[in-house]
Amino acid sequence: VIYVNAAQTHISGIEFEFKHYLSDRLFLSGSALRVHAHAMSDGKPLPLASPSWGGSTGISYQDKRSWTLSVQGAFRGPILMPGVLREASRQVNAHGRFELSRLLGDAGRGLALFSHGVNLANQRIWYPALLSTAVPHRGGRVIYYGIEVSLARD
């Protein structure tokens, strides 16, 4: 992907994703991302307010009829600002989902319970801020849950 904005900055990047099944129900997944920016006038690299690279890996188990469990590790490279190096960050995330049709039959079709956890290891993460700086953020563990409703019928 290449994007040129009004400030004559050339931003390009590439992303790879994969999924490899170890069995019918168990699979590995991952991704890698690289972003680069440079001035159109002289070709010099420009600092980015976000990490210029990152990646993730995970493992998931998906039962054919009712539930899914996933754990993922995500890595973001350091934020490089003029005269400043912000540390890289790592995160552990997890996701679980249970289809209610397994318990309720046709009455539960299209309904599922889910839970999603972000930053389970409670790591400090650097987020971009205005005026070419970055700020540390420790949002703590975030776990949310709910009911998923699918209106499409198979």
Side-chain angles (χ1 to χ4, degrees):
V1 174
I2 297 175
Y3 175 74
V4 178
N5 64 19
Q8 296 299 305
T9 301
H10 182 163
I11 302 169
S12 60
I14 189 165
E15 181 177 3
F16 295 99
E17 294 185 9
F18 79 89
K19 185 183 281 189
H20 177 72
Y21 282 86
L22 301 171
S23 71
D24 287 348
R25 299 177 182 183
L26 185 66
F27 62 91
L28 302 173
S29 61
S31 67
L33 171 70
R34 174 77 167 107
V35 179
H36 175 74
H38 67 270
M40 296 288 289
S41 59
D42 58 11
K44 290 184 180 178
L46 296 173
L48 293 169
S50 62
S52 61
W53 56 277
S56 67
T57 58
I59 187 165
S60 299
Y61 182 85
Q62 184 174 20
D63 182 71
K64 295 288 184 190
R65 292 190 48 198
S66 61
W67 55 275
T68 303
L69 293 174
S70 300
V71 176
Q72 181 189 51
F75 177 81
R76 289 184 237 182
I79 298 175
L80 305 173
M81 297 290 191
V84 178
L85 172 65
R86 298 296 183 209
E87 64 195 34
S89 62
R90 292 161 192 80
Q91 232 177 272
V92 176
N93 306 319
H95 178 78
R97 183 177 179 276
F98 180 76
E99 293 184 26
L100 292 175
S101 61
R102 180 87 179 236
L103 293 177
L104 305 175
D106 284 342
R109 193 172 182 153
L111 299 175
L113 299 175
F114 73 89
S115 178
H116 191 79
V118 178
N119 195 14
L120 296 176
N122 198 25
Q123 298 294 311
R124 179 174 59 185
I125 299 169
W126 288 92
Y127 284 111
L130 297 175
L131 305 174
S132 296
T133 161
V135 294
H137 172 74
R138 185 183 293 270
R141 292 171 198 89
V142 177
I143 299 173
Y144 57 94
Y145 52 89
I147 298 176
E148 177 184 310
V149 178
S150 175
L151 300 177
R153 297 286 183 174
D154 295 340

